[in-house]
Amino acid sequence: MTKVYSLGIRREDKNRWERRAPLAPSHVEELVKKGIKVVVQPSTLRNYPNVLYERAGAIIQEDLKECDVIVAVKEVPSEYLYNDKTYIFFSHTIKAQPYNMAMLDEINKKRIRLIDYERITDDQNRRLVRFGSFAGYAGMIDMLHALGDRLLAKGFSTPFLHVGYSYVYSKLESAMEAVKAIGEEISQVGLPDDLLPFTFAFTSDGAVSQGALKIFKLLPHKMVTPDEMVELVKNKKGERGILYGTIITSEHMVAPIDPEKKFNKSEYYADPSQYKPIFCEKYAPYISCIINCMYWDAKYPRLITIRQMEELVETNNSRLIGVADISADVNGSLEFLMTTTSIDSPLYIYDPKTQEVHDPTTDQQYMYRDGILFLAVDNLPTEFPKEATQWFGDHLLQFMEQVIKSDTKLPYEKMTDIAPEMKRAIITCHGSLTPPFEYITELRKKREELTTRILILGAGSVSYPTISYLARNPSHKLTVGDISMEQSKKAASYDPECQTVVIDVQDQEKLDELVKKHRVVVSLLPDDLTLLVAKSCIRNKKHMVSPGYMSSEMEALDKDAKEAGVTLLNEMGLDPGIDHLEACRVINDAHSKGGKVRTFVSWCGGLPAPESSDNPLGYKFTWSPKEIISGVTNDSKFRRDGQDIFIPGSEVYKRVQPVDIFPALSLEGVPNRDCLHLTKTYGIESVNTLFRGTIRYKGFCQVMEAAVEIGLLDTTTKSHLSPSAPPMSWNLAMRHILPIPQSEGIPTQELLRRKLRTRRGYPSKGYDDDKITYILYVFEWLNIFSESENIAQCGNYFEAFTELLKTKLNLLPSERDLIILHNVVGIEWDGGKHETKTSTLVYYGSKDQSAVSTVVGLPVAIAAELLVENSIKEVGAIRPITKEFYKPMLKSLRNEGISFIHRSEFDKI
């Protein structure tokens, strides 16, 4: 019995716009005449309706399992990949694209013979079956409309706006007529002078580019060489009614490293390492719109990197309005293509300064934002579905009968029953890659190596801005680890592609296993746990960044870190962190000009915004109360007028002083830790005054002073506060630590007053009546004298008191906080002149993100990115005090809206 061969045509279901098919009804009719059974899945979206396929002799049915060969346009979901079949579709696997490797593995598992349209080529490697020209047509038409929209938002009305997106036209001819119409308008009225000359750069001269050029040439235009384009822009010679086009090929993208050599295309393709990129510097500054149509592979230099685009904008050396990336290659030849788009939402604005993407799904005002317009639709040909299907099928049909009737059981080497053009396109068969595509395995490994894996340990609120920032770059693959899976998942919501893991960093074996899989580790854990992470990073030769203070134990790791070639970057938050960056910038600048730093004072504090400081303490917590309270009871060392001063932790709150930064804000502060090491760190050994302090609103410090005095910050274990002890009211707990009264009838408030009242002969150990009255008022508000509210049974008074403060001083979701950082640098210049420079940073949080989290999480993220990019060369246990830190980081922070106000004045003589 003669075998009846069958072909299945799959219904496209990737999105509602995918209305193409690999074969039109006319092609089906030809195959049916040759005795081939054609089964077409029903579709109400396909541009050719079911009835036309039926009339051509096809069977309309859902099930394709019995078909010998199944054809589609886009990738096929796993559940519709059937064992031992032949599939033909655009697989997007030949560059080891990460997003389709799981599909490729599934195809091999099911022993499928996969044929990819992209690799159907002649013996000169020219593609024979493609939609390329239609991608060019649609991409160029869509970009013209997009330019009109963007320019309108920028205050320019142009004819570009009067052409629609490609899909609104029933056929290509109608769209081309619309383009001609705006061309006539451009000829008559021209473009605004501020936009002239308006230049389009088309990358490559392949089919996609030719399609885009065909549309472009319907407009009044002049084609020029890239060098002529540069001269036009430099000399402002452009005509109002003319658009200028140039074609960028490989000779304009790179040049030989050896200045004695000339560009040689075949040599460049054979060994790109002998060439350096030149496009960004030589041509990019002169282009108004890039139409990117080129194929790119990671072994070749990019046209423009993320950093290069940032620098072009920062130096005001870019006139780039928009990019139509028809290649839709994320992080490809244009590295700053951060994501592809869809026909539903084809545009976004990319801000090179911040690497942020503004799109209509998250920002209704996106079109008005600063940055570069991007169009990166990844299925442009479907905007002309009928013509694209007919064109594609016309070229595919010649190969189909042989493929359908071929013997799939033959070894690849013996598959001579299909045309060589099709054999070249067989990616897999019999459960493995075919010899021409075995390179994909190695390429997958290399891509994996190129993927930057960053581990973030600690999933508290500080991690949220860290994750959000690093996730902007698609080449970053993030893992968030925490001892709490709930916390990890909450943090990972800021990056949908982020992996989560439960990890106890005290388990060395598991920690090492996790660390070794990543390139950079961010530790947002307490200092003692960060030390364990640092040791793991040394063992596994991975870089680490942390906002925590550089402890003596961390400093002791310096030698081991250097020997391992590892950077352990500490003090990379706000204070310490941003304060170092700004201080070193000012100090090093003064030193370079011959100045001597005589004074350095730095104040910093996180506070509720004024409108949210609605409690007697004028304070609310945005992170760990224990960290905040204990942080300002550390011993303090500073220098004043040449004298080094030591203040024990128990006395710190007694050294409160007014902080006059803003006359309208009543601020006070106390010394913050030992800052004398900064004389060496900053290179200011001869400084007369050196001080770091913590800022609070007025009134907070005297309450904390009283809390220290009566023992509320005592960490000594108390049996009556153990978890197993009977419940105890706050009032009774207070009576345990106040002087034992002669009479039990004395109220606790009075006992506290007696404890704090000034003793004769000891004025520094007492409080005046006004101060005591205020403290009693605050303690009443805290319910410390309550006989009904129980103290938390946490083992000691410090834990119980901070737990109480946490419940009373919690920043509500509807409230916001702020941080203030104020550096004062006194500089002595030659001739005795004295200059005082101040740097003041004020940053408000939002309802979504606290200021404290942002100004700690962002510097950590920026530093991690610098480590990823190998921009930091210093190894060892270090602080961010050199130019390689403060120059790029302060710029990146400015881009994020975190910037200093600088003031300077000279002493009057």
Side-chain angles (χ1 to χ4, degrees):
M1 187 175 178
T2 304
K3 174 177 171 59
V4 177
Y5 293 94
S6 57
L7 169 70
I9 300 178
R10 190 174 178 276
R11 173 182 58 245
E12 300 301 320
D13 52 13
K14 193 164 187 179
N15 59 62
R16 70 189 181 103
W17 290 100
E18 190 50 80
R19 298 174 290 158
R20 292 173 292 175
L23 296 168
S26 61
H27 309 125
V28 168
E29 187 174 9
E30 291 295 318
L31 292 172
V32 171
K33 287 178 181 178
K34 295 177 180 179
I36 295 170
K37 176 184 175 181
V38 179
V39 179
V40 178
Q41 276 191 326
S43 172
T44 54
L45 286 177
R46 192 185 294 122
N47 198 261
Y48 284 103
N50 299 329
V51 66
L52 292 184
Y53 283 102
E54 199 167 30
R55 289 175 186 169
I59 299 169
I60 308 299
Q61 72 177 41
E62 193 69 33
D63 190 4
L64 301 180
K65 288 180 183 175
E66 301 305 316
C67 297
D68 299 301
V69 176
I70 298 172
V71 293
V73 176
K74 306 295 278 186
E75 299 97 322
V76 177
S78 174
E79 61 267 32
Y80 301 117
L81 291 169
Y82 306 128
N83 292 353
D84 302 306
K85 301 292 183 184
T86 294
Y87 281 82
I88 313 176
F89 57 86
F90 285 109
S91 70
H92 300 295
T93 58
I94 62 172
K95 292 197 287 184
Q97 290 94 320
Y99 52 86
N100 276 340
M101 290 301 96
M103 179 191 71
L104 186 64
D105 291 339
E106 187 74 10
I107 285 170
N108 276 325
K109 182 180 177 182
K110 293 180 176 179
R111 302 174 304 284
I112 288 169
R113 181 170 69 168
L114 171 63
I115 299 176
D116 194 312
Y117 302 122
E118 197 170 351
R119 301 311 302 154
I120 302 175
T121 59
D122 63 16
D123 54 10
Q124 294 182 24
N125 204 34
R126 291 178 299 202
R127 287 182 59 187
L128 301 176
V129 181
R130 59 191 176 196
F131 288 109
S133 297
F134 287 89
Y137 300 150
M140 189 67 208
I141 293 167
D142 289 358
M143 192 59 188
L144 292 175
H145 175 83
L147 285 170
D149 195 353
R150 176 61 166 168
L151 290 172
L152 191 66
K154 289 293 185 181
F156 300 105
S157 179
T158 65
F160 294 136
L161 194 62
H162 302 155
V163 66
Y165 285 122
S166 300
Y167 65 80
V168 306
Y169 302 102
S170 61
K171 53 186 177 180
L172 177 59
E173 183 182 351
S174 301
M176 293 172 77
E177 288 300 322
V179 174
K180 289 178 185 177
I182 68 165
E184 292 175 7
E185 195 175 349
I186 292 172
S187 294
Q188 293 169 8
V189 301
L191 297 178
D193 291 340
D194 290 349
L195 303 177
L196 302 180
F198 206 98
T199 56
F200 288 82
F202 299 82
T203 60
S204 95
D205 52 5
V208 177
S209 182
Q210 291 303 316
L213 279 164
K214 185 174 181 178
I215 300 300
F216 175 74
K217 290 178 180 179
L218 299 174
L219 302 167
H221 71 281
K222 182 177 181 181
M223 297 302 297
V224 296
T225 67
D227 293 301
E228 289 171 338
M229 174 195 67
V230 171
E231 290 304 311
L232 274 171
V233 175
K234 280 184 176 179
N235 299 316
K236 300 181 180 178
K237 290 182 178 179
E239 298 178 38
R240 298 185 79 242
I242 294 289
L243 304 175
Y244 295 88
T246 191
I247 299 174
I248 303 293
T249 57
S250 50
E251 64 183 298
H252 309 112
M253 301 174 190
V254 295
I257 294 174
D258 185 348
E260 300 298 319
K261 288 187 175 182
K262 291 185 178 181
F263 177 82
N264 182 291
K265 186 175 180 179
S266 57
E267 181 187 72
Y268 168 58
Y269 286 157
D271 187 6
S273 66
Q274 299 301 311
Y275 285 76
K276 61 182 180 181
I278 60 171
F279 174 79
C280 179
E281 181 180 351
K282 192 171 182 180
Y283 300 113
Y286 307 98
I287 298 170
S288 306
C289 181
I290 295 175
I291 310 297
N292 191 30
C293 312
M294 66 180 286
Y295 172 87
W296 181 80
D297 189 274
K299 66 182 179 181
Y300 300 110
R302 289 183 166 93
L303 287 177
I304 309 176
T305 66
I306 290 171
R307 291 298 179 203
Q308 285 173 332
M309 194 66 244
E310 179 186 8
E311 187 174 348
L312 286 174
V313 172
E314 286 280 356
T315 57
N316 201 29
N317 198 27
S318 173
R319 64 197 307 266
L320 186 61
I321 297 169
V323 174
D325 201 321
I326 302 175
S327 66
D329 193 0
V330 173
N331 290 141
S333 59
L334 298 176
E335 189 185 21
F336 55 102
L337 173 63
M338 294 303 194
T339 182
T340 57
T341 59
S342 65
I343 298 172
D344 282 312
S345 183
L347 308 175
Y348 65 81
I349 303 297
Y350 168 76
D351 187 343
K353 292 181 179 180
T354 65
Q355 296 177 34
E356 282 188 287
V357 170
H358 304 284
D359 67 54
T361 62
T362 57
D363 184 358
Q364 291 183 347
Q365 299 295 313
Y366 82 104
M367 194 57 78
Y368 296 88
R369 305 302 180 197
D370 290 337
I372 298 166
L373 173 72
F374 257 100
L375 181 142
V377 176
D378 60 3
N379 59 338
L380 283 165
T382 197
E383 297 197 53
F384 294 117
K386 184 170 288 188
E387 290 150 302
T389 295
Q390 190 67 47
W391 168 274
F392 191 82
D394 287 347
H395 292 77
L396 177 63
L397 181 62
Q398 60 183 310
F399 305 111
M400 287 308 300
E401 183 181 5
Q402 273 191 326
V403 171
I404 294 167
K405 295 179 178 180
S406 64
D407 185 353
T408 60
K409 295 180 181 179
L410 290 172
Y412 173 78
E413 295 77 14
K414 296 183 179 180
M415 287 183 184
T416 57
D417 53 354
I418 60 172
E421 294 88 345
M422 293 298 280
K423 185 178 179 181
R424 294 187 192 103
I426 301 175
I427 309 290
T428 67
C429 67
H430 309 309
S432 61
L433 295 165
T434 59
F437 296 96
E438 287 174 348
Y439 71 87
I440 292 176
T441 300
E442 191 61 33
L443 192 55
R444 286 176 75 168
K445 293 179 183 177
K446 289 182 179 179
R447 276 196 173 275
E448 186 70 17
E449 292 169 3
L450 289 172
T451 299
T452 304
R453 298 193 176 277
I454 302 172
L455 173 62
I456 300 167
L457 293 173
S461 60
V462 170
S463 72
Y464 305 163
T466 305
I467 295 167
S468 297
Y469 182 89
L470 292 171
R472 293 178 196 169
N473 190 329
S475 67
H476 295 159
K477 301 303 178 188
L478 308 182
T479 303
V480 176
D482 195 278
I483 201 164
S484 163
M485 177 53 79
E486 183 181 354
Q487 282 282 86
S488 293
K489 287 183 176 179
K490 185 177 179 182
S493 67
Y494 289 82
D495 175 19
E497 296 184 6
C498 181
Q499 294 182 333
T500 59
V501 62
V502 174
I503 178 72
D504 179 354
V505 299
Q506 296 182 83
D507 186 330
Q508 179 177 316
E509 185 178 346
K510 288 185 178 178
L511 178 62
D512 282 351
E513 189 65 28
L514 186 59
V515 166
K516 72 172 61 170
K517 296 176 182 176
H518 296 81
R519 185 169 173 184
V520 172
V521 179
V522 174
S523 177
L524 302 176
L525 300 170
D527 291 351
D528 57 333
L529 298 181
T530 293
L531 189 66
L532 300 178
V533 175
K535 291 176 179 178
S536 178
C537 287
I538 292 172
R539 287 193 295 271
N540 294 285
K541 298 187 181 334
K542 306 295 180 181
H543 301 305
M544 185 198 79
V545 56
S546 166
Y549 277 96
M550 174 90 82
S551 63
S552 57
E553 293 87 352
M554 184 68 74
E555 276 191 293
L557 298 178
D558 181 64
K559 181 181 177 183
D560 291 342
K562 285 177 177 174
E563 289 176 355
V566 166
T567 300
L568 302 178
L569 178 58
N570 298 270
E571 304 191 0
M572 199 58 266
L574 167 65
D575 169 26
I578 296 177
D579 59 343
H580 285 327
L581 301 173
E582 179 63 13
C584 292
R585 183 193 69 81
V586 175
I587 290 169
N588 290 351
D589 180 66
H591 286 167
S592 70
K593 296 173 181 177
K596 297 178 181 178
V597 174
R598 297 305 190 193
T599 303
F600 179 79
V601 175
S602 180
W603 290 104
C604 188
L607 304 165
E611 74 275 12
S612 301
S613 59
D614 54 354
N615 63 59
L617 278 164
Y619 194 79
K620 291 183 179 178
F621 294 108
T622 54
W623 60 299
S624 169
K626 288 192 287 187
E627 292 288 331
I628 292 171
I629 299 301
S630 64
V632 283
T633 55
N634 291 300
D635 294 346
S636 173
K637 293 181 183 179
F638 55 90
R639 182 176 298 173
R640 178 180 292 159
D641 297 329
Q643 181 181 359
D644 291 349
I645 298 171
F646 168 76
I647 308 294
S650 60
E651 298 286 320
V652 164
Y653 275 117
K654 295 183 183 296
R655 297 304 182 105
V656 64
Q657 58 181 288
V659 180
D660 186 20
I661 301 173
F662 307 107
L665 281 182
S666 184
L667 301 173
E668 62 186 18
V670 293
N672 181 14
R673 298 185 181 242
D674 178 4
C675 65
L676 292 180
H677 69 89
L678 293 179
T679 57
K680 182 177 180 181
T681 301
Y682 289 173
I684 51 174
E685 286 84 353
S686 61
V687 69
N688 291 325
T689 295
L690 176 64
F691 180 88
R692 292 176 75 243
T694 299
I695 299 171
R696 295 288 183 261
Y697 289 127
K698 188 175 181 180
F700 178 89
C701 292
Q702 63 186 14
V703 175
M704 289 299 111
E705 179 188 357
V708 173
E709 182 79 17
I710 63 178
L712 286 176
L713 300 190
D714 183 10
T715 57
T716 306
T717 300
K718 306 292 182 184
S719 59
H720 59 277
L721 295 182
S722 69
S724 58
M728 176 180 289
S729 70
W730 258 106
N731 185 68
L732 183 57
M734 285 292 290
R735 297 180 78 87
H736 271 72
I737 56 175
L738 292 172
I740 300 174
Q742 296 298 316
S743 169
E744 289 295 330
I746 301 175
T748 307
Q749 291 91 326
E750 178 58 28
L751 293 176
L752 179 60
R753 184 182 290 276
R754 293 180 182 183
K755 170 77 174 176
L756 299 177
R757 184 174 293 135
T758 305
R759 299 175 190 172
R760 184 175 298 174
Y762 297 92
S764 65
K765 293 188 177 182
Y767 300 71
D768 61 33
D769 285 343
D770 289 342
K771 191 171 178 179
I772 293 173
T773 299
Y774 179 75
I775 292 167
L776 288 172
Y777 163 66
V778 174
F779 279 19
E780 287 276 10
W781 181 82
L782 289 171
N783 284 340
I784 279 181
F785 303 124
S786 171
E787 295 184 5
S788 59
E789 183 168 339
N790 288 338
I791 190 171
Q793 307 287 128
C794 301
N796 60 60
Y797 278 94
F798 173 78
E799 295 280 351
F801 185 56
T802 54
E803 192 65 27
L804 175 66
L805 292 178
K806 185 167 69 174
T807 62
K808 297 289 186 179
L809 305 180
N810 189 35
L811 191 76
L812 300 175
S814 60
E815 298 176 325
R816 60 179 185 154
D817 65 332
L818 84 156
I819 62 95
I820 298 173
L821 172 59
H822 182 70
N823 286 352
V824 183
V825 182
I827 305 166
E828 182 182 303
W829 298 101
D830 289 344
K833 289 195 301 181
H834 191 277
E835 180 183 12
T836 300
K837 287 190 171 185
T838 62
S839 304
T840 308
L841 168 64
V842 178
Y843 185 82
Y844 283 86
S846 66
K847 294 176 183 177
D848 300 320
Q849 196 72 257
S850 74
V852 171
S853 295
T854 302
V855 296
V856 175
L858 269 180
V860 165
I862 295 167
E865 191 164 58
L866 291 174
L867 285 167
V868 163
E869 296 171 351
N870 294 318
S871 297
I872 295 173
K873 305 302 180 186
E874 188 177 0
V875 296
I878 62 174
R879 296 179 175 93
I881 57 173
T882 60
K883 193 172 183 178
E884 75 170 345
F885 291 103
Y886 62 73
K887 184 177 180 180
M889 290 201 65
L890 288 173
K891 182 175 77 170
S892 294
L893 287 167
R894 281 196 303 273
N895 292 339
E896 300 296 323
I898 300 173
S899 59
F900 285 87
I901 298 169
H902 301 106
R903 293 187 175 92
S904 172
E905 64 176 33
F906 285 87
D907 289 354
K908 295 179 181 179
I909 299 175

